[in-house]
Amino acid sequence: MKVRIGIAPPPGDTPDHLAGLAERTEALGIDSLWLSEIVHGPSVEPIVGMAYTLAATRRLKVGTGVAILPGRHPMRVAKQLASLAALAPKRVLPAFGLTPARPAEREAFPVPGPRGAVFDESLELLRLLLRQEKVTFHGEFFTVENAGVGPLPARPLDIWVGGSGERALRRAGRLADGWLASFLTPDQAAAGRTAIAAHAAEAGREIEADHYGTSLAVAATEIPATAIDAIARRNPGADPAEIVPVGWAAARDLIERFVEAGITKFVVRPATPVPSTERWLDEFADHLMPLQN
């Protein structure tokens, strides 16, 4: 299975840093750059950031890690992704989540019904629009008639989802092409992978073996309080040391454990702002890129 390791910007990074980050990421031969959905703060909006980064590079793959789908109309999202895929073939990596990591940001993504049900229907319609020239769809929340978003990608885009609850794992198996987890231990990720594969089989589908991934925050000297608090909310009872490695040697060890558990795609970011992003990228390249195959 292909082991690939991409990066995400440091927390609180501002849009004016994106050009330099993208340039250095591509120059180092790093696999991919992923942009998160953070509304309240200086971080670049992920789909806008994808467009900018794809235009500024020639080989770098760019993903949303993750963007929030419920609260966006799936037809507009399909149009954006189809346009990006036409402009930058084989470099667009969309991944979507159910709800913002910060509860206060939910108001930015109003939904016409229960969020989980809207997410499921949005994914279903999004996949149709990115695979069929014309789509007629009558759902509980969305209706389109003979709709198309223009030239479709030669190869359908893989749509990844996040989440680790029971419904999220079922959604990944039934409706997605890959899974990008977060705040899980290797053992928990292995259990999630098994559950997703089972749900996919029940739906007559199969998730490719190397389409299971996770996000990792790497701490420099100690696990920050913000990460400990996030783990307590997202994965109560988990040992933060099993989720946030301290230092590059610990990051290597943890990634190797994830690979043994069947997780082969990684999005690595600093756990806190760093003095020099360029230096952090150089260290990432030295310590983690050799783990790719």
Side-chain angles (χ1 to χ4, degrees):
M1 295 186 293
K2 281 185 186 176
V3 176
R4 293 291 181 266
I5 309 175
I7 63 104
D13 215 23
T14 53
D16 57 305
H17 291 165
L18 184 58
L21 177 66
E23 179 182 350
R24 186 62 180 163
T25 301
E26 181 164 65
L28 289 169
I30 294 172
D31 176 73
S32 50
L33 173 63
W34 298 76
L35 303 171
S36 298
E37 183 90 76
I38 302 174
V39 179
H40 297 175
S43 301
V44 68
E45 198 279 335
I47 296 177
V48 171
M50 282 181 70
Y52 179 89
T53 305
L54 290 167
T57 57
R58 292 294 174 264
R59 299 177 305 279
L60 184 67
K61 291 178 283 186
V62 188
T64 57
V66 296
I68 304 307
L69 185 56
R72 289 181 164 100
H73 196 291
M75 175 167 283
R76 293 188 63 189
V77 176
K79 182 68 176 182
Q80 290 170 324
L81 294 178
S83 298
L84 289 173
L87 295 167
K90 300 181 181 179
R91 296 201 288 139
V92 179
L93 306 175
F96 294 105
L98 172 68
T99 189
R102 302 177 180 185
E105 296 182 0
R106 284 195 179 197
E107 63 186 18
F109 302 94
V111 294
R115 190 170 288 273
V118 172
F119 192 11
D120 290 349
E121 189 169 300
S122 296
L123 280 171
E124 184 180 356
L125 178 54
L126 178 64
R127 290 175 62 85
L128 289 173
L129 289 164
L130 289 172
R131 285 163 171 78
Q132 298 180 15
E133 291 187 0
K134 294 295 180 182
V135 173
T136 294
F137 182 91
H138 297 152
E140 183 179 357
F141 310 109
F142 303 103
T143 297
V144 299
E145 295 283 350
N146 199 33
V149 294
L152 301 178
R155 183 185 185 279
L157 290 177
D158 288 333
I159 306 297
W160 290 46
V161 297
S164 55
E166 181 179 349
R167 182 162 185 170
L169 298 177
R170 184 167 63 250
R171 176 182 299 119
R174 291 181 52 248
L175 296 170
D177 302 296
W179 181 49
L180 186 63
S182 59
F183 295 106
L184 296 183
T185 68
D187 287 345
Q188 290 172 328
R193 186 188 192 283
T194 298
I196 290 169
H199 289 305
E202 290 173 3
R205 307 178 66 237
E206 183 178 1
I207 308 296
E208 292 185 38
D210 62 357
H211 277 41
Y212 296 88
T214 191
S215 297
L216 290 177
V218 178
T221 57
E222 62 181 3
I223 301 175
T226 52
I228 293 172
D229 291 344
I231 292 166
R233 292 195 309 270
R234 302 276 293 273
N235 192 352
D239 180 1
E242 287 276 289
I243 295 172
V244 180
V246 178
W248 293 112
R252 283 181 61 96
D253 291 344
L254 186 57
I255 288 174
E256 288 172 347
R257 290 178 57 202
F258 272 112
V259 172
E260 290 174 1
I263 306 301
T264 62
K265 298 295 186 287
F266 300 92
V267 178
V268 175
R269 68 186 186 280
T272 57
V274 293
S276 168
T277 301
E278 184 170 337
R279 179 180 175 185
W280 187 88
L281 288 171
D282 289 342
E283 293 175 350
F284 167 91
D286 289 341
H287 291 277
L288 299 188
M289 285 180 64
L291 296 177
Q292 297 184 137
N293 55 15

